[in-house]
Amino acid sequence: MIKLSLLVIAFFISLTPALSQDHGDALVSASIADSRTLNPILASDTASSEVAGLIFNGLVKYDKEINLTPDLAESWEIKEGGLAIIFHLKKNVRWHDGYPFSAADVAFTYQKLIDPKVKTPYSGDFERVRSLEVIDDYTLKVVYKEPFVPALSSWGMSILPKHILEGQDLNTSSFSRNPVGTGPFKFKRWRSQEKIELVANPDYFQHRPNLDRYIFRVISDESTIFLELQAQGVDSAGLSPLQYLRQTDTAFFRRYYRKFKLSSFVYTYLAYNLRDEKFTDKRVRQALNYAVDKEELIKMVFLGLGQPITGPFYPESWAYNHNVKPINFDPDKARQLLKEAGWSDADGDGVLEKNGEKFIFTLITNQGNEERLKSAQIIQLRLKDVGVVMKIKVVEWSVFLSEYINKRKFEAVLLGWSLPREPDNYDIWHSSKTREGEFNFIGYRNDEVDRLLTEGRRVFDQARRKACYNRIHEILYDEQPYMFLYAPDSLFVIHSRFQGIKQEPIGIGYNLIDWWVPKKEQRYSRVTE
Amino acid sequence: MITYLAKRLIAIIPLLLGITLISFFVIRMAPGKPVMLQQSLNPKISLEEIKRLEKLEGMDKPLLVQYKNWLWNMLRFNFGRSISDGRLVVDKIMERLSVTLTINILSLLFLFLFAIPIGVKAALKANTAFGHITTFLTFLFFAAPTFWLALLAMQLFCIQLKWLPISGITSLDFEYLSWWGKLADLSRHLVLPVIVSSIGGIAGLSRYMRSGMLEALSQPYIYTARSKGLSEKLVVYKHALRNALLPLVTIVGLSIPGLLGGSIIFESIFSIPGIGKLFYEAAMMRDINLIMAEVVLVAILTMLGNLIADISYAYVDPRIRYKK
């Protein structure tokens, strides 16, 4: 009898989740900074892009495996040897105000992107377009001046509604604070420096999101965010390594929150000014790489929550070359290489010299990044062991960029790059990108890398591109223009009442519209439109 | 009095010009550029685009021309647009003003409400246990950093006792509440910020009050009053207190510009959408129009505050009278 009732219960339990994915509830996420503008072609800060990403769609997007997949487009064809892309658009898409979406909106967005009067930072990729032709309401043909592979991913740019914005000045339009898009969530309200509230779009072309609302709360202090988590005032928030490992290791957090650890799309590096005589010899840069223990940095600064990297690509992507193995920490090897390069400690003061000049340099990093400062201090200690004196200078961000990076007035810097999903790294490594304000600020030049970078953006075949980027990865690790340090893990919690969250290479947000909360666990009242 | 007032008001104009001129040049000549895009170090944003954007903001012109343009617009009450989001500077300030003003006025009231009686009591009982305990406590609170007090208070009242909300000034469902519900919600959110922001001030001001009171009580006119046979109550509250209150007039006058000032640490901890954070961010982003608007605002208020303090002195203190 007991067995039978247990069976019955088990039957019902197994049935419940399949019954329905309840609608309702709100997800409240905490953000340190407020958005600046919700016009996606003007936004260049992460907070804005995150919110705008839920309101708008591009023609293409990245799927969970980080491959390009249609979004507002139904499909695309690449023609004329990569010079032309034909987009076939979805036909059942409507703007949040009910107006149908069509190719005219795409053409309008393109014109705004290349309009010199519009303060968009994203015109670069679109200036390569020779012509954009609207064939019919749902077909577009884009012709490029030369084959350009990242072009396809550039159409992940959010599309703006022509019927609302035509004739308006985009720079000052109130649209930036009251956007209308095609995305899964509709804009509801924005209280500056407090919150942005979005509500489910019932007509979203995939399906209505299960959650009723998505609320971004601005809480500008990390300790306050952590207190809010303890009061369940926010549902998702980022964590520091210490919070992730120790402070959330409590019965309360195990009961109410689910912790996540993802590879992050950023990496930290130490870059040398290659115009500086100390760093022109490759053996010196290799020696410094041997002298610094990256595992130690990760252990000390991130309590082990990160991974060492060997090249400028996202470790989970196809472009990353896993055959490039990180060297082992080896101070003896470092000393030997430095000796080969002509550096020795003749006067016995513990500092190496060459031609009467001591090996002393200054590393600059930006203010307000505790991890970078700690890393710099550990590196300083390790370099001292091999007879190299590294001084540390911390500079405020805006001054750091305009006075040091852009003017190339540095010996070495500690910085980070974020890793776009598209592996094209042309602007950072190509030797033509060394003018003031450009991103090859270290003055790196390697003819093979130049050639591979050019090929990588001209060839559409992914296997051939992979070969290019893998070789670039190999060369960069051998030549060490940067000392590649680490990619810290991205750590955060989400309230455990949310169901349907799956962790994939791209992260977890890709299936947000499928997340749901069982009726009896919902915390926020239903809001109907 | 009228001529005096007119003179003082006219003197504000050259002062304001000088302040804005110096501020404008200092901000623009300081290292770092006011283009937000340059701050993101984003390889997707090319050099040409940054140059184009600088031109759109009119930053390629000589400094003096830029200042002249700014001044001309300012005289017509046009403070321009913020570089970070293209919104009118005036809109951005107005949006934050009510919150900052509410909190600052409430804490100022709170300040006087508590500081004066505490100071008076402490002076009257200077050498008793009460006097020593208040001295100890006032020094303790005066020395304690606001952010630390805030975090402790949050931990106690919001997480352990669950009496109050932790941060922000409204709840997430604020818009769906009734009028009374909204008022109650706002009040609940304001309790901690107001108390925490005034507690250091209460400690400081009550010390002023205490020493003013002690000084007044040792004056000859107090002996006179006592020898006339007046009641102790009358002596303390009429003769001593009124004289001890005089310095407070200066403090009120000087706190007028502070009413619109905010504190970045305090606003960050409580996540309050106030003026302090707005201008801190403006400074970090070299958002010149926003910074200049703040400079003008604070300069005018400071000068007006001084003027008001001077005038009210004349009223409350018969020893000071301005010549006709």
Side-chain angles (χ1 to χ4, degrees):
Chain A
M1 193 60 204
I2 291 167
K3 241 183 193 168
L4 185 68
S5 58
L6 275 180
L7 260 177
V8 173
I9 291 167
F11 173 76
F12 277 109
I13 289 174
S14 68
L15 207 67
T16 349
L19 275 175
S20 70
Q21 294 187 347
D22 295 336
H23 283 188
D25 213 2
L27 193 149
V28 183
S29 79
S31 161
I32 289 273
D34 198 5
S35 301
R36 289 184 191 148
T37 164
L38 293 184
N39 182 333
I41 77 167
L42 303 182
S44 61
D45 55 309
T46 18
S48 305
S49 309
E50 208 183 320
V51 183
L54 298 180
I55 303 175
F56 293 91
N57 297 95
L59 296 184
V60 300
K61 66 174 181 186
Y62 284 97
D63 65 8
K64 54 187 181 182
E65 252 88 51
I66 325 183
N67 292 311
L68 280 175
T69 182
D71 199 7
L72 284 176
E74 182 73 54
S75 63
W76 64 77
E77 305 162 56
I78 292 173
K79 290 272 172 76
E80 299 166 29
L83 276 178
I85 311 176
I86 295 173
F87 285 108
H88 301 280
L89 306 181
K90 286 200 173 76
K91 291 184 178 141
N92 56 347
V93 180
R94 284 178 184 279
W95 293 98
H96 292 158
D97 61 359
Y99 200 90
F101 158 80
S102 79
D105 295 311
V106 183
F108 173 78
T109 306
Y110 163 70
Q111 279 149 15
K112 288 296 166 191
L113 281 163
I114 57 163
D115 182 345
K117 284 203 269 316
V118 176
K119 291 177 189 169
T120 174
Y122 303 113
S123 56
D125 284 349
F126 297 92
E127 269 152 10
R128 297 165 181 279
V129 174
R130 172 172 290 152
S131 68
L132 182 141
E133 187 191 340
V134 174
I135 295 173
D136 62 45
D137 273 0
Y138 298 102
T139 318
L140 274 172
K141 184 175 178 189
V142 191
V143 181
Y144 281 81
K145 293 169 185 160
E146 54 187 352
F148 181 57
V149 184
L152 193 55
S153 70
S154 73
W155 288 101
M157 175 58 69
S158 298
I159 301 300
L160 300 172
K162 181 185 181 190
H163 70 284
I164 292 176
L165 285 170
E166 195 162 34
Q168 285 196 31
D169 178 0
L170 245 55
N171 299 331
T172 56
S173 167
S174 62
F175 184 83
S176 300
R177 298 202 41 104
N178 195 11
V180 173
T182 49
F185 288 89
K186 292 197 211 185
F187 175 80
K188 176 80 182 173
R189 67 171 58 83
W190 182 351
R191 294 174 64 104
S192 293
Q193 208 64 33
E194 281 187 69
K195 64 171 179 185
I196 295 178
E197 188 176 339
L198 310 180
V199 293
N201 171 9
D203 306 317
Y204 187 51
F205 60 81
Q206 287 183 36
H207 65 78
R208 178 201 190 278
N210 295 325
L211 300 174
D212 271 355
R213 288 187 284 166
Y214 198 112
I215 302 169
F216 292 86
R217 271 191 73 179
V218 183
I219 303 174
S220 24
D221 186 272
E222 280 167 24
S223 16
T224 309
I225 293 183
F226 198 69
L227 288 174
E228 283 285 3
L229 283 173
Q230 292 170 50
Q232 302 188 63
V234 295
D235 296 322
S236 88
L239 296 180
S240 70
L242 190 69
Q243 289 172 337
Y244 183 88
L245 286 180
R246 312 270 158 74
Q247 288 171 282
T248 53
D249 193 23
T250 61
F252 173 82
F253 272 97
R254 277 191 290 273
R255 161 94 176 72
Y256 290 108
Y257 288 95
R258 205 172 139 193
K259 287 197 258 188
F260 290 88
K261 185 177 81 145
L262 305 177
S263 303
S264 69
F265 284 89
V266 291
Y267 72 94
T268 302
Y269 58 88
L270 186 157
Y272 309 102
N273 191 339
L274 300 176
R275 302 164 193 89
D276 191 307
E277 269 189 18
K278 286 189 284 294
F279 301 117
T280 41
D281 192 331
K282 171 171 124 182
R283 287 169 300 186
V284 172
R285 304 192 301 263
Q286 286 173 334
L288 299 186
N289 192 33
Y290 276 108
V292 174
D293 188 353
K294 282 73 167 186
E295 296 287 353
E296 176 188 48
L297 287 178
I298 295 166
K299 214 168 103 193
M300 306 285 279
V301 181
F302 297 96
L303 307 177
L305 298 168
Q307 48 183 318
I309 49 152
T310 55
F313 303 100
Y314 181 52
E316 312 261 321
S317 82
W318 53 266
Y320 194 92
N321 188 346
H322 287 279
N323 294 324
V324 177
K325 295 282 175 246
I327 50 103
N328 290 322
F329 168 59
D330 189 349
D332 288 330
K333 176 98 181 174
R335 284 185 202 103
Q336 183 200 328
L337 278 165
L338 283 166
K339 200 168 181 188
E340 281 172 30
W343 291 93
S344 59
D345 184 13
D347 59 5
D349 65 349
V351 182
L352 301 175
E353 302 100 17
K354 184 179 175 180
N355 307 330
E357 207 185 322
K358 291 193 185 298
F359 204 144
I360 299 176
F361 71 98
T362 304
L363 176 89
I364 309 177
T365 191
N366 63 297
Q367 189 190 45
N369 191 322
E370 207 53 39
E371 283 91 19
R372 283 183 196 161
L373 184 60
K374 282 185 199 159
S375 304
Q377 286 160 342
I378 296 170
I379 294 170
Q380 183 179 46
L381 191 75
R382 288 296 162 217
L383 292 186
K384 198 174 153 226
D385 283 348
V386 298
V388 175
V389 175
M390 182 181 94
K391 295 178 181 163
I392 301 171
K393 187 165 163 180
V394 181
V395 184
E396 190 255 350
W397 183 242
S398 174
V399 178
F400 178 61
L401 292 182
S402 65
E403 300 300 308
Y404 294 93
I405 297 290
N406 288 349
K407 296 195 173 142
R408 280 78 171 113
K409 274 198 276 183
F410 63 91
E411 291 175 294
V413 292
L414 195 71
L415 258 180
W417 280 123
S418 63
L419 294 158
R421 276 62 171 164
E422 160 59 50
D424 176 37
N425 248 324
Y426 191 92
D427 291 294
I428 298 176
W429 299 107
H430 197 272
S431 62
S432 67
K433 293 292 180 180
T434 53
R435 285 176 303 160
E436 182 171 332
E438 288 185 319
F439 296 105
N440 185 354
F441 49 79
I442 58 170
Y444 181 65
R445 187 194 173 93
N446 178 305
D447 293 338
E448 190 183 354
V449 169
D450 279 359
R451 193 173 53 70
L452 290 166
L453 283 167
T454 314
E455 192 181 331
R457 35 163 63 178
R458 282 172 166 271
V459 183
F460 277 82
D461 178 42
Q462 187 157 317
R464 278 182 65 195
R465 291 192 82 197
K466 183 173 163 55
C468 291
Y469 293 122
N470 282 354
R471 177 72 188 133
I472 291 173
H473 191 148
E474 215 171 272
I475 298 172
L476 290 179
Y477 196 65
D478 175 59
E479 293 216 314
Q480 290 287 315
Y482 285 180
M483 185 194 294
F484 292 96
L485 298 173
Y486 49 75
D489 290 332
S490 152
L491 310 168
F492 54 95
V493 284
I494 297 181
H495 199 279
S496 51
R497 70 182 192 277
F498 294 95
Q499 312 286 318
I501 304 175
K502 288 197 194 79
Q503 189 168 334
E504 298 286 351
I506 192 133
I508 58 162
Y510 69 94
N511 71 339
L512 178 67
I513 60 171
D514 295 321
W515 295 10
W516 62 286
V517 180
K519 261 269 138 42
K520 56 181 190 299
E521 291 176 46
Q522 297 189 354
R523 290 174 58 89
Y524 295 92
S525 55
R526 297 224 54 186
V527 175
T528 42
E529 271 307 282
Chain B
M1 188 68 196
I2 302 286
T3 21
Y4 173 78
L5 238 168
K7 265 190 203 160
R8 284 288 300 265
L9 282 173
I10 289 168
I12 286 182
I13 296 169
L15 245 144
L16 191 63
L17 269 181
I19 291 172
T20 56
L21 183 78
I22 293 172
S23 311
F24 193 92
F25 274 76
V26 166
I27 297 163
R28 288 294 277 109
M29 283 157 72
K33 278 191 177 177
V35 171
M36 57 174 296
L37 301 165
Q38 179 228 344
Q39 318 219 341
S40 52
L41 199 67
N42 182 346
K44 285 206 141 187
I45 301 170
S46 73
L47 183 62
E48 287 73 18
E49 279 165 299
I50 289 173
K51 289 263 182 293
R52 177 173 62 85
L53 290 163
E54 277 182 20
K55 209 168 165 161
L56 281 177
E57 301 289 355
M59 272 174 322
D60 49 344
K61 300 198 181 77
L63 269 188
L64 212 58
V65 178
Q66 289 183 37
Y67 177 71
K68 201 196 76 199
N69 291 344
W70 177 83
L71 192 67
W72 177 234
N73 286 328
M74 193 268 283
L75 292 175
R76 292 175 296 159
F77 296 103
N78 174 5
F79 286 91
R81 288 178 183 275
S82 159
I83 289 173
S84 78
D85 56 11
R87 292 179 70 207
L88 288 172
V89 164
V90 175
D91 285 356
K92 290 186 79 157
I93 295 177
M94 290 314 281
E95 187 178 85
R96 309 286 186 95
L97 211 56
S98 55
V99 177
T100 300
L101 214 54
T102 312
I103 293 180
N104 286 344
I105 290 177
L106 284 177
S107 36
L108 202 65
L109 287 180
F110 211 68
L111 189 67
F112 287 113
L113 205 67
F114 283 88
I116 296 174
I118 292 175
V120 171
K121 262 276 180 300
L124 292 178
K125 306 197 170 182
N127 287 317
T128 65
F130 176 84
H132 295 308
I133 290 170
T134 44
T135 302
F136 174 75
L137 285 180
T138 48
F139 276 112
L140 188 74
F141 282 116
F142 194 61
T146 326
F147 76 92
W148 181 71
L149 277 181
L151 289 176
L152 288 188
M154 285 173 175
Q155 184 75 42
L156 177 64
F157 295 109
C158 314
I159 294 181
Q160 308 294 337
L161 298 171
K162 298 193 191 334
W163 288 351
L164 296 165
I166 297 176
S167 66
I169 54 160
T170 53
S171 300
L172 289 172
D173 285 325
F174 184 74
E175 285 78 13
Y176 308 101
L177 296 172
S178 66
W179 193 87
W180 282 109
K182 282 183 181 171
L183 190 69
D185 187 55
L186 264 174
S187 315
R188 273 165 49 81
H189 280 86
L190 288 177
V191 172
L192 277 189
V194 167
I195 292 179
V196 171
S197 73
S198 52
I199 215 155
I202 292 178
L205 195 67
S206 65
R207 294 298 296 175
Y208 273 114
M209 200 57 229
R210 178 178 173 274
S211 63
M213 201 62 191
L214 281 176
E215 204 193 312
L217 283 171
S218 67
Q219 295 293 316
Y221 59 78
I222 294 294
Y223 295 120
T224 314
R226 282 200 176 121
S227 58
K228 277 199 300 188
L230 292 180
S231 72
E232 187 62 19
K233 215 174 176 178
L234 219 55
V235 171
V236 170
Y237 293 104
K238 190 162 178 212
H239 292 268
L241 182 60
R242 282 174 68 174
N243 281 294
L245 279 174
L246 283 181
L248 289 194
V249 174
T250 322
I251 296 177
V252 176
L254 292 180
S255 55
I256 286 176
L259 284 180
L260 292 186
S263 142
I264 159 81
I265 296 174
F266 169 76
E267 285 175 12
S268 297
I269 288 268
F270 285 107
S271 196
I272 288 167
I275 291 273
K277 257 188 83 63
L278 183 69
F279 289 115
Y280 173 75
E281 277 160 18
M284 295 315 272
M285 293 185 47
R286 311 291 193 273
D287 196 338
I288 183 117
N289 288 341
L290 200 46
I291 304 176
M292 287 307 292
E294 161 81 344
V295 166
V296 171
L297 197 69
V298 173
I300 292 182
L301 284 173
T302 309
M303 292 187 279
L304 284 181
N306 281 342
L307 187 59
I308 291 171
D310 289 351
I311 293 170
S312 33
Y313 250 143
Y315 275 101
V316 295
D317 191 341
R319 285 168 298 182
I320 302 169
R321 284 283 185 263
Y322 298 107
K323 283 189 199 113
K324 291 253 153 84

